[in-house]
Amino acid sequence: MTLQHAPRRRRTVRRLQATSAGLAAGLLVTGLLAAPAQAQPRAQTTPSPSPGAPIGTTARTVGDARYEPGPCPKTPEPIEALDGARCGTLTVPENRAEPGSRTIRLGVAIVPAVSDTPKPDPIVWLAGGPGDDAVGEAKMAIDGGLNRDRNVIFMSQRGTYSADPALLCPNIDEFNARAVGLVYDAPSTGRLHVEATKACRDELAGRGVDLSAYDDIESAADYDDLRSALGVKQWNLYGISYGTHLALTYMRLHPEGLRSVGIDGILPPSRSGEESTWSSARQGFDGLFKACADQPACNKRYPNLSATFDKLVRELEARPVTTTVTLPGQDKAVKVVLDGGALVNWLVSATHVATQVPAALDELANGDPQRIAQQWAGGKLSPQAMGRVAHGLVYGVFCSEWTPYESEDAALRGGQKQFPSFPRSVQAQAPLLSFLRPDCDVWNVPAAPRSIRDVTRGDIPTLALSGAFDAQTGADNGPYVARTLDKATVVTIPYEPHVVFATSKCAQEITASFFDNPTAPKTDCLKSLEPPKFEIGP
């Protein structure tokens, strides 16, 4: 849930404040004119790929979608996992509801299985965000062994980095970088936030982008078109963070052709929004604080960590702390303002470096904000935070699928319920989603059909994976989605944050066994997991 304008490994789900939540978290860990639209192709169908031809090597048109082999999609940096990949593009209508819609092109990369005798049903990777490019996440998937005996398919979701058009809007990333020196939830910050969003919208609309066509319904149809165009009878999905949101929509709208689905860092469309992010934060924070309390050394040195955190949020919201930090690779000092809202959002991401959290909070409580300020600024000013997130897709999802179906006071209500001691100004801005409603007012796209909020039902075998430290998409989302999925296996990996596949060998083993046998994955590795060793300061 990538789930801030937004604040890897684990991207994942959001953004969520107007970039990806997954991305925000990942950045903390790692850095602590579009081509002219083409005429819509005439509907036709070319023959199925020749028997024995490797998947992705044959051009094919099915209906209004066409796949053509070609160069691999661009990525910000070289990705070794894509060496030897079979690549091409999928061309589809931008808006299937509009006759004569222009077309868009989506990059496709197929990483062959390691096995000499791969299984016939490939795995499709659905990226986090919204707004992250699946092709750019290939390293995470392949490092985790996902292509052991199946081909793995990566397609750039519409609007993302290697798609054409790409709806990136680096002006928002630049604002996020500047905003580390502003009071996080101040009205003046909100006005600048919305100005950046409107400038993004105006730039994209000026290029002729149909902003109403960038949502889960169109993206799910893109992936189903890809399956048909590649001549694949049946495949599997693996979605992380926001990719689980898309996967659950795909399962509901296009269940045919799905053998099994893995979802990791779960963001159900039926409960996604500002209120639920507060619940997720509560779960992730409590999991981390309890792990410290359960270890005598951590509990002795940092007693009642939850109360310390609550007090810091209140104090910083009343009297923000301003400091300067110097980031790796940069000579110029950066001004950082830490208020209560900034601290909450820092901790949402800092669950990815959980062993540092108790010491960092203690340092702050004793007058040293440097570690937290450096991590908070590092994620926003990292080169990886610039020009990579498809903000046009971010708002396409949030503003058509979330805000129309949630009350205006949802964020405040969620904050008051989960963190009643927090100041109202903090409670009013949901983690990683600050100023979302005024952003959506200027984004101005129609609401998606109300059915977008329906729960996903059915008997497709599903692996629902969560991390007990996940403060972006709470672990209770696993049992929640399993209520209406007849063949769901729910697994919570202890001591892990958002997107467990990225960091947990056990999660990778469970995932591999799931695709081998989707109704009975092996979970024995859970018994051997040990709690983290928290950093203990002097």
Side-chain angles (χ1 to χ4, degrees), residues 41 140 155 240 281 342 374 404 423 496:
M140 187 195 308
M155 182 169 76
I240 63 166
Q374 188 146 21
E496 291 291 341

Side-chain angles (χ1 to χ4, degrees), residues 317-337:
E317 191 67 4
R319 294 178 298 279
V321 168
T322 300
T323 188
T324 58
V325 299
T326 301
L327 301 176
Q330 300 186 24
D331 297 329
K332 187 177 179 180
V334 175
K335 174 186 172 184
V336 179
V337 175

Side-chain angles (χ1 to χ4, degrees), residues 79 128 133 140 183 187 221 266 366 369 396 470 473 475 496 501 507:
I79 298 178
D133 191 329
M140 187 195 308
V183 175
I266 304 164
N366 285 283
D470 189 346
T473 56
E496 291 291 341
F501 187 88

Side-chain angles (χ1 to χ4, degrees), residues 524-537:
D524 293 347
C525 61
L526 293 170
K527 301 174 184 177
S528 62
L529 297 181
E530 305 241 344
K533 293 183 179 180
F534 288 97
E535 177 185 327
I536 306 297

